[in-house]
Amino acid sequence: MTAPGPAARFRELHRAGEPGEALVLPGAWDPAAARIFAQAGFAALATPSAGIAASLGHRDGECPADEMFAAVARIVRAVEVPVSADIERGYGLPPAEIAARLRAAGAVGCNLEDSVAGELVAAEAQAAFLAAVREAAGPQLFVNARVDVHLRGSGKPGAELLDEALARGRAYIEAGADAVYPIGAPLADLAVLARELPVPVNGLARQDGPSVAELAAAGCRRVTFGGGLAARAYEGVRVLAEQLRTG
């Protein structure tokens, strides 16, 4: 019998554990951080586009595609655990090239956003884009479809945001997404999304909340940190720099 591929094993990690437990994917912004997280016992890692951009001297959202994919490849090479890559919305590359670059980098999965320059992409267009990436990548890629409604839909009532997040989530799943990432959704909405959608829901843990435990209790089967861990590490460097300067 043929052993399951890396993406299949990564999918299984999302289904492991008891209800109320989540797969925690620390966001490694460089190979050294990736090794530390892997040595701590985490079963898989994610890469944060904001953290990598900062490590390379760019603002969030302004890192060139070549630099981002090269950074992901270095992180993948540094560890033996699966790595999923945050690649924003693919940097304007054709779906076939996105799939090829992720394959070359060694990533088993990716995040794909449904907004560009702060504006939501039409749900139908995003679903078609996700379907094209899925077709190009085949089953050897775990696609985590980000839903930016709560992040970008300011001014709408909460019920409308939840309804749109559910509609987008269902459309993206039909297009082939393996998970849905409703970034910025409150815990109550995450609980509804986790109950109603037939794939793992990704929750975003922040230092000021919600916590990993709160997200898992709400039904999130996957928890990531965005660029938060990198930001906390760099804040530690700032504190150290101030101590050295005033020492």
Side-chain angles (χ1 to χ4, degrees):
M1 182 180 294
T2 304
R9 293 195 295 273
F10 188 57
R11 287 188 183 91
E12 185 57 36
L13 288 174
H14 290 75
R15 294 189 289 267
E18 300 297 325
E21 295 180 351
L23 173 64
V24 179
L25 301 177
W29 58 93
D30 67 13
R35 288 195 185 103
I36 290 169
F37 290 132
Q39 290 165 0
F42 288 97
L45 304 177
T47 68
S49 60
I52 287 179
S55 76
L56 297 174
H58 300 290
R59 293 187 179 91
D60 185 19
E62 297 182 3
C63 184
D66 289 348
E67 293 189 39
M68 184 64 70
F69 283 106
V72 170
R74 290 192 293 270
I75 289 168
V76 170
R77 288 196 300 268
V79 295
E80 296 183 359
V81 299
V83 177
S84 181
D86 180 356
I87 55 167
E88 302 177 32
R89 198 176 179 265
Y91 308 103
L93 300 172
E97 185 172 351
I98 291 171
R101 288 200 180 203
L102 287 166
R103 191 179 306 116
V108 301
C110 69
N111 288 359
L112 288 169
E113 303 171 5
D114 65 351
S115 61
V116 175
E119 298 291 333
L120 284 166
V121 175
E124 297 80 3
Q126 182 68 5
F129 172 65
L130 292 171
V133 172
R134 166 58 68 211
E135 182 178 6
Q140 297 306 315
L141 182 70
F142 186 102
V143 177
N144 189 32
R146 212 173 88 172
V147 177
D148 288 1
V149 169
H150 289 83
L151 190 66
R152 307 298 185 194
S154 60
K156 292 186 178 181
E160 286 188 20
L161 293 178
L162 176 57
D163 288 346
E164 185 174 353
L166 279 166
R168 284 177 178 261
R170 291 181 178 120
Y172 300 166
I173 293 164
E174 186 175 351
D178 296 286
V180 172
Y181 182 11
I183 188 169
L187 285 170
D189 285 9
L190 287 170
V192 175
L193 290 158
R195 185 173 66 247
E196 295 294 329
L197 298 178
V199 299
V201 169
N202 188 149
L204 174 67
R206 299 179 183 272
Q207 191 172 10
D208 58 354
S211 67
V212 171
E214 289 171 329
L215 292 166
C220 295
R221 297 293 291 179
R222 165 176 168 147
V223 174
T224 54
F225 303 83
L229 301 183
R232 289 166 67 178
Y234 290 133
E235 181 58 32
V237 176
R238 290 189 191 96
V239 171
L240 175 60
E242 185 62 21
Q243 290 172 344
L244 293 173
R245 189 185 67 81
T246 60

